[in-house]
Amino acid sequence: MANNDDKFKKVISHAKEYGYVFQSSEVYDGLSAVYDYAQNGVELKKNIRDYWWKAMVQMNDNIVGIDAAIFMHPTTWKASGHVDAFNDPLIDNKDSKKRYRADVLIEDYCAKIENKIEKEVKKAAKRFGDAFNKEEFLSTNGRVLGYQEKINTILSRMGKSLENEDLADVKALIEELEIADPLSGSKNWTDVKQFNLMFGTKLGASADSAMDLYLRPETAQGIFVNFLNVQKTGRMKIPFGIAQTGKAFRNEIVARQFIFRMREFEQMEMQFFIKPGTQAEWFKHWKEHRMKWHLSLGMGEDNYRFHDHEKLAHYADAATDIEFKFPFGFKELEGIHSRTDFDLKQHEAYSGKKLQYFDHEDNASYTPYVLETSIGLDRMFLAVFSNALQEEELENNTTRTVLKLPAVLAPVKAAILPLVRKDEALVKLSKGIIDDLKWDFSVAYDEKDAVGRRYRRQDANGTPFCITVDGESLENNTVTIRHRDTMEQQRVKIEDLKSIIKKEVDVKEWLMRM
Ligand code: ATP
């Protein structure tokens, strides 16, 4: 596909055309940065959630799940620091009247320098051919080193200024780098201001007695306030984890990039409660473990990288992001944070209740430290979907659009196609196959158009298998099974279909790769 912008547009239109993602309330022209998952999207999203849940909860006997409410007592957000410090630095362009996140403008500037590095790498790879060593090139080429140095200097200055709340310096940096409004090209900026991202709402009927509430901006706090309930009722011993998936809400200033940055989104989080002093070792453990989970899906090692934080959130003593190469460049997909005992201590202070763990081995009580893994389900969806969408040149000079979703995540595992739709016996046999397979897999029936067109439709839909039922099937109970990625076709017995499909789509087969 031509360039990244085109690719991203194609991703968005494909997601709509094939029933994956629709704009929310589209008949009213939509609501900015709010999206609905359609018939295929809801299945893909559920499969990603299940894949995460199985890896985190089912496979770990010391991790359990909960499902906390979206509304929480408002003091929660005082204690967590969100009321005072859950802000984004925003800047307005005086000419275009558009509002931006100051840090995002600077990061986008650095992404452009990074593109230059990638161009140098591509050029050199072409020049040196097989002898090309990327690592060596990156660490020795003068031009690349210069670019990298520039990125590091900019990001480290921005990190320090944000940490010190020196918003004037953030503006100065934007001006020094001569960053222009991407829409209008104007460099006429206002000062940088902080903006709180929480959505407020009210609980109660009468205006006087109504209580101000927030829609939770993260799922984590529902876990912290339930820490002792779960520990006691589940008789959990440290180290142990509590996992949760659910909606979170943020009034994002710059809500673009489709489902990458939404105002209502879903998180999959796990808080791991540990003994103070062991956080460095658990940080390393979860970093490695989470990366293995991503790699098990086979979406390409080169598409992931760690980005260690310079600027740490108010609660963290170490933090890293797993970044993924989206069509618009490397961006955060998952955060891994060493949150210390900040949250539990804060909830102790604000609630006046003890949130401590009694360690029988040490015969002493302590406030546990917490290691958190936090991934956006919608961002994971975008990573999977955009990486899967490919345009392939075929031998006969045609192209096919194929959605190479990891088979374990695909919404429909197999489509059953009677070769001739008017042939009652073929239709009956096809429906019989569906009735048998649907107990184990989500399957679809497709009888319209020539079989070649149906194959293309299922390719674009991401269906890993097409099963064609023809005249021979009636004679000897065999069908043709076609594989989406290789387009290979095999004649197989109907009774073997289940085991053939299972081998490719079974969660166990995929998670065993971790
Ligand atoms: P960003 O810097 O991109 O705003 P963040 O660092 O604020 O993200 P966290 O608070 O660490 O994000 O949230 C954990 C995860 O939740 C992120 O890694 C991301 O996958 C997801 N996430 C956060 N904000 C959004 C959003 N507005 N839309 C979709 N997913 C989000």
Side-chain angles (χ1 to χ4, degrees):
M1 275 164 211
N3 63 40
N4 292 347
D5 261 3
D6 284 353
K7 160 103 204 217
F8 191 39
K9 280 191 192 132
K10 183 104 215 267
V11 165
I12 298 170
S13 64
H14 197 87
K16 179 171 178 198
E17 193 182 337
Y18 284 86
Y20 278 85
V21 183
F22 300 150
Q23 211 181 3
S24 154
S25 11
E26 198 189 76
V27 289
Y28 296 106
D29 297 331
L31 183 64
S32 156
V34 187
Y35 292 90
D36 296 340
Y37 287 88
Q39 66 277 15
N40 276 320
V42 71
E43 297 286 339
L44 173 55
K45 195 175 169 197
K46 180 170 86 49
N47 292 344
I48 297 173
R49 194 192 291 112
D50 287 351
Y51 194 68
W52 181 87
W53 190 267
K54 287 210 164 117
M56 300 299 276
V57 181
Q58 194 169 322
M59 298 307 296
N60 290 297
D61 56 12
N62 61 349
I63 300 182
V64 292
I66 64 163
D67 183 16
I70 288 172
F71 290 139
M72 296 186 71
H73 192 284
T75 309
T76 310
W77 306 110
K78 270 306 261 180
S80 68
H82 283 81
V83 172
D84 297 321
F86 192 53
N87 300 317
D88 271 347
L90 69 83
I91 189 165
D92 291 289
N93 187 280
K94 289 186 197 160
D95 295 323
S96 72
K97 310 276 182 255
K98 288 279 172 204
R99 180 162 281 185
Y100 296 94
R101 253 174 74 175
D103 55 335
V104 171
L105 283 179
I106 295 169
E107 279 167 10
D108 285 351
Y109 179 90
C110 291
K112 282 194 193 133
I113 308 180
E114 213 156 275
N115 284 342
K116 289 186 187 168
I117 297 182
E118 269 192 33
K119 275 199 189 128
E120 293 291 334
V121 170
K122 274 201 189 127
K123 261 201 310 202
K126 220 173 175 184
R127 194 159 11 109
F128 293 113
D130 288 346
F132 182 62
N133 178 334
K134 187 173 166 189
E135 302 271 290
E136 192 184 320
F137 180 76
L138 287 176
S139 59
T140 52
N141 179 276
R143 201 171 292 167
V144 167
L145 288 176
Y147 286 144
Q148 197 54 56
E149 165 84 29
K150 189 165 180 197
I151 294 175
N152 294 347
T153 314
I154 294 172
L155 291 182
S156 124
R157 175 163 157 202
M158 178 179 87
K160 281 203 188 92
S161 309
L162 286 174
E163 194 170 297
N164 301 332
E165 290 281 320
D166 185 355
L167 299 181
D169 189 57
V170 177
K171 182 181 181 189
L173 185 57
I174 288 178
E175 286 178 335
E176 278 167 41
L177 297 173
E178 300 191 3
I179 295 177
D181 178 342
L183 280 181
S184 66
S186 153
K187 294 174 192 161
N188 194 4
W189 296 109
T190 62
D191 287 343
V192 179
K193 284 176 295 214
Q194 293 289 20
F195 173 80
N196 194 290
L197 298 178
M198 282 197 294
F199 281 106
T201 185
K202 286 197 186 300
L203 178 145
S206 80
D208 323 330
S209 62
M211 189 180 200
D212 286 318
L213 291 190
Y214 295 103
L215 298 184
R216 66 179 177 197
E218 62 175 26
T219 53
Q221 299 305 324
I223 288 180
F224 292 126
V225 298
N226 277 303
F227 150 74
L228 212 52
N229 283 340
V230 173
Q231 191 272 319
K232 290 224 158 98
T233 56
R235 286 170 288 123
M236 308 300 290
K237 284 206 178 64
I238 276 182
F240 74 92
I242 305 178
Q244 166 166 234
T245 71
K247 287 276 172 108
F249 303 82
R250 294 182 188 178
N251 197 0
E252 298 280 2
I253 303 159
V254 189
R256 51 188 165 96
Q257 294 170 323
F258 195 39
I259 55 172
F260 179 82
R261 191 175 298 290
M262 301 157 91
R263 298 209 160 98
E264 172 181 342
F265 59 101
E266 192 164 335
Q267 290 187 313
M268 306 191 286
E269 294 200 305
M270 193 276 301
Q271 274 70 33
F272 200 67
F273 297 89
I274 55 175
K275 195 170 172 172
T278 61
Q279 64 269 34
E281 125 203 6
W282 284 112
F283 184 63
K284 183 164 171 282
H285 169 88
W286 283 109
K287 246 178 104 162
E288 288 170 5
H289 200 71
R290 290 303 304 146
M291 187 57 104
K292 279 192 194 153
W293 181 84
H294 285 284
L295 295 179
S296 74
L297 287 168
M299 303 204 300
E301 228 169 287
D302 288 350
N303 287 327
Y304 299 88
R305 68 181 189 197
F306 284 113
H307 170 242
D308 295 328
H309 284 210
E310 290 261 336
K311 180 198 175 213
L312 291 173
H314 55 275
Y315 50 74
D317 75 354
T320 193
D321 295 337
I322 295 179
E323 294 187 337
F324 184 76
K325 197 170 185 189
F326 289 96
F328 37 84
F330 273 102
K331 294 273 179 208
E332 171 175 347
L333 170 59
E334 169 158 9
I336 296 158
H337 311 125
S338 173
R339 287 181 85 129
T340 69
D341 57 4
F342 175 84
D343 302 87
L344 290 180
K345 281 257 167 75
Q346 286 291 101
H347 289 305
E348 282 194 319
Y350 277 79
S351 68
K353 313 252 163 58
K354 262 203 158 23
L355 291 175
Q356 293 198 343
Y357 173 79
F358 182 74
D359 195 323
H360 286 277
E361 270 169 33
D362 294 359
N363 205 22
S365 291
Y366 57 80
T367 310
Y369 268 39
V370 172
L371 221 289
E372 155 183 282
T373 71
S374 174
I375 172 168
L377 176 49
D378 314 85
R379 269 191 204 178
M380 186 62 195
F381 185 111
L382 183 59
V384 170
F385 191 87
S386 59
N387 187 66
L389 186 60
Q390 293 174 26
E391 213 120 276
E392 263 182 10
E393 304 280 340
L394 300 181
E395 276 166 12
N396 56 1
N397 271 341
T398 55
T399 56
R400 69 160 182 159
T401 302
V402 51
L403 193 62
K404 291 189 169 174
L405 297 171
V408 64
L409 302 180
V412 176
K413 304 302 187 204
I416 323 300
L417 328 172
L419 191 62
V420 186
R421 83 201 252 210
K422 289 202 182 106
D423 187 328
E424 271 178 35
L426 290 190
V427 170
K428 190 163 169 238
L429 183 57
S430 303
K431 297 252 161 107
I433 294 175
I434 290 188
D435 283 343
D436 186 35
L437 291 180
K438 72 183 179 193
W439 292 93
D440 298 284
F441 316 108
S442 63
V443 288
Y445 178 72
D446 193 356
E447 61 168 21
K448 199 166 167 281
D449 301 320
V451 81
R453 289 200 46 191
R454 281 183 265 169
Y455 284 158
R456 289 287 177 276
R457 185 154 64 224
Q458 295 300 334
D459 286 347
N461 207 45
T463 312
F465 296 105
C466 282
I467 294 161
T468 307
V469 181
D470 57 17
E472 198 186 327
S473 312
L474 299 171
E475 287 161 22
N476 63 8
N477 274 322
T478 63
V479 287
T480 305
I481 186 162
R482 174 184 177 274
H483 296 251
R484 178 195 65 198
D485 296 349
T486 58
M487 294 190 287
E488 261 169 15
Q489 303 189 13
Q490 288 164 280
R491 196 85 207 172
V492 301
K493 290 202 191 107
I494 291 177
E495 65 193 46
D496 292 340
L497 282 174
K498 206 175 285 180
S499 66
I500 295 172
I501 299 172
K502 184 165 189 276
K503 204 162 160 278
E504 300 276 325
V505 307
D506 198 28
V507 174
K508 181 176 173 191
E509 298 287 332
W510 288 77
L511 279 182
M512 292 271 280
R513 301 173 189 178
M514 272 182 78

